[in-house]
Amino acid sequence: MRDRAKLREYQRQWRKDNPDKVRGWAKPDAAKRREASYRWRRENRERYLAQHRAQGKRARQRHRDRLRVQDSARRYGITAEQVQQLHQDAKGLCAICQQPETRRLRGQVKRLAIDHCHITQRVRGVLCHNCNTVIALAKESPA
């Protein structure tokens, strides 16, 4: 604990003694960089907004994917890593028909469904929508 406190004190003193070498916004020309950034955003408004929207869209998609994996893990009593491993092992192919998923939702191909036994709750693998529906209509008989 004492070593950490000594290190922090040394770092504070070094930053105070070497203001020209400090990286980040603490540099003396930080105001110039900030103003240049604001100016670029004003002059390239459409490009900036397009980048900003795309970045937000990617972040929302990552969040949805993470929630979907966590929800699947919670629902079937396995970890999120096991869900991801199931999908990786399947290599994008259904366990029954060995075809990739073709069903789309909002323009994107859906993920393969996690197949499980409704009695034992044991996870069996991943299936495409069609095979998953067939098993459901056959009253859970995988044969």
Side-chain angles (χ1 to χ4, degrees), residues 122-137:
R122 190 176 71 83
V123 174
R124 296 186 283 222
V126 291
L127 301 177
C128 67
H129 177 76
N130 294 336
C131 292
N132 198 26
T133 304
V134 167
I135 285 185
L137 292 173

Side-chain angles (χ1 to χ4, degrees), residues 47-111:
R47 183 173 169 193
Y48 168 72
L49 289 175
Q51 289 173 347
H52 192 66
R53 279 190 293 268
Q55 182 181 10
K57 189 175 183 178
R58 286 191 304 270
R60 285 189 298 278
Q61 185 60 45
R62 280 193 309 270
H63 182 68
R64 275 194 297 268
D65 291 344
R66 191 169 35 250
L67 288 179
R68 189 177 302 121
V69 167
Q70 290 171 351
D71 181 50
S72 295
R74 188 172 34 254
R75 182 178 300 155
Y76 304 117
I78 57 178
T79 65
E81 290 78 23
Q82 288 172 318
V83 171
Q84 290 175 332
Q85 190 63 44
L86 272 173
H87 285 282
Q88 285 176 352
D89 292 346
K91 297 179 183 159
L93 300 177
C94 172
I96 294 176
C97 67
Q98 295 298 310
Q99 297 296 314
E101 179 65 83
T102 57
R103 203 166 159 91
R104 292 183 171 270
L105 179 65
R106 294 187 200 105
Q108 290 188 332
V109 175
K110 289 181 67 171
R111 268 184 100 140

